[in-house]
Amino acid sequence: MAPDGTVVRALYRASLRCVRALDGRALPLQRPITMADWGKFQRLSQRQLDAERAAVFPWASAADAPRFGVIEPDALLRLVRRRYREPPQQSSASSTDADAQTGTAHQGAAAESAATDEAFRALRAFHELFAALRVTSTCEMHGVRVQATSQYLGVNATTKARVFAYRVRIANVASASVVQLRSRHWVIADADGGSVVVPKGSPGVVGQTPRLAVGHHFEYVSGTELHAPRGSIRGSFEFVDDAGGVFEADVLPFDLISDEADADDASAARATTVEEEEEL
């Protein structure tokens, strides 16, 4: 993609701002959660992670996001710079010189237009992934990485409660031993001060106690309902390794944000921006 023209330069700068907004955090390349996912679980192969990356952010190659279904900020920065330095692809010219010049000009304009459209699509996809990062937490302990993210699904017509699904992805990224998840501890809190506690030692997750060798992944999707517009979840998993050693891996707090709460946050952010501009 050639960095020519006002629009493309603006897109390039916007892309760089997006990378800076990550503030050092890796960007998960995961599909959105749907109601149909609730209660499901699966082991994930590297092939599945690569397929998911290609589906949600096809501009990143396997080399850009080699493991664990995330792309690191430095890799994303290299990707942005590489993409904007690539010239638009053109077809071969026509047979006569005049036709060749005219055809080449049209092909060049078409290629630049296609490259600009591609940049817009990439930026839109990034913003969708970045929005998911807002309700995602990641923690690595004892060689086990736990990543959790939530999705607002709407209002339950019967209970009038707000429905949230969440996906938890667990990976043995560095443990020298095969590890097995044995139990969980879960705290679901809402903005009104209410909470639901799944006590420490509660067996498994969605009826499963997965064993994970190094490099293996397991994910499951569950959910909860809140009457408040926002809340959060935190907790931990207990694991045992093949030597009998027991350890915990934390699930850092991740937010549950309804559309209503999201709109309130956006309004507050706009008001803050206006106040700062007025002070200037």
Side-chain angles (χ1 to χ4, degrees), residues 8-272:
V8 174
R9 284 194 295 271
L11 287 170
Y12 179 55
R13 289 193 293 269
S15 299
L16 293 178
R17 286 195 296 271
C18 287
V19 177
R20 288 195 292 270
L22 289 173
D23 195 25
R25 294 171 294 175
L27 185 67
L29 304 179
Q30 297 184 22
R31 66 195 184 284
I33 308 169
T34 68
M35 184 66 78
D37 295 323
W38 195 316
K40 293 183 178 179
F41 59 89
Q42 63 176 332
R43 292 180 179 274
L44 293 167
S45 67
Q46 189 60 48
R47 178 177 295 181
Q48 287 173 298
L49 294 173
D50 288 342
E52 187 172 43
R53 167 191 51 75
V56 301
F57 202 70
W59 301 272
S61 68
D64 296 317
R67 298 182 68 193
F68 312 129
V70 301
I71 182 168
E72 299 290 341
D74 56 345
L76 187 59
L77 180 60
R78 290 194 299 270
L79 170 62
V80 168
R81 289 173 173 167
R82 183 175 72 246
R83 294 283 296 185
Y84 278 88
R85 287 170 182 165
E86 291 176 357
Q89 297 299 311
Q90 300 180 18
S91 303
S92 57
S94 304
S95 56
T96 67
D97 291 343
D99 287 344
Q101 291 177 359
T102 302
T104 299
H106 285 307
Q107 291 162 9
E112 289 182 6
S113 177
T116 301
D117 290 344
E118 187 82 351
F120 272 117
R121 285 194 292 271
L123 199 58
R124 189 181 304 114
F126 175 88
H127 278 292
E128 291 172 356
L129 293 170
F130 186 76
L133 187 61
R134 181 186 176 200
V135 290
T136 298
S137 73
T138 303
C139 183
E140 185 174 325
M141 297 177 65
H142 306 287
V144 173
R145 177 181 293 179
V146 179
Q147 184 179 87
T149 189
S150 70
Q151 180 90 38
Y152 176 61
L153 297 179
V155 176
N156 185 319
T158 301
T159 66
K160 307 303 181 185
R162 297 167 179 86
V163 181
F164 299 88
Y166 54 86
R167 175 191 291 124
V168 180
R169 184 167 287 182
I170 305 164
N172 182 346
V173 298
S175 175
S177 172
V178 174
V179 299
Q180 183 172 18
L181 188 155
R182 293 203 306 190
S183 64
R184 72 190 188 281
H185 172 228
W186 222 233
V187 179
I188 304 172
D190 65 42
D192 294 337
S195 65
V196 175
V197 177
V198 178
K200 184 170 289 191
S202 297
V205 290
V206 292
Q208 304 297 306
T209 55
R211 287 173 54 84
L212 300 172
V214 177
H216 287 199
H217 303 69
F218 175 85
E219 74 168 26
Y220 73 94
V221 177
S222 189
T224 189
E225 294 188 356
L226 300 179
H227 286 283
R230 68 172 70 233
S232 65
I233 298 178
R234 60 181 174 84
S236 62
F237 297 122
E238 183 183 80
F239 289 86
V240 60
D241 61 30
D242 277 352
V246 178
F247 63 91
E248 288 191 350
D250 287 342
V251 182
L252 295 183
F254 60 99
D255 290 332
L256 309 173
I257 302 176
S258 67
D259 288 348
E260 174 189 349
D262 192 42
D264 289 343
D265 291 345
S267 296
R270 285 194 295 270
T272 300

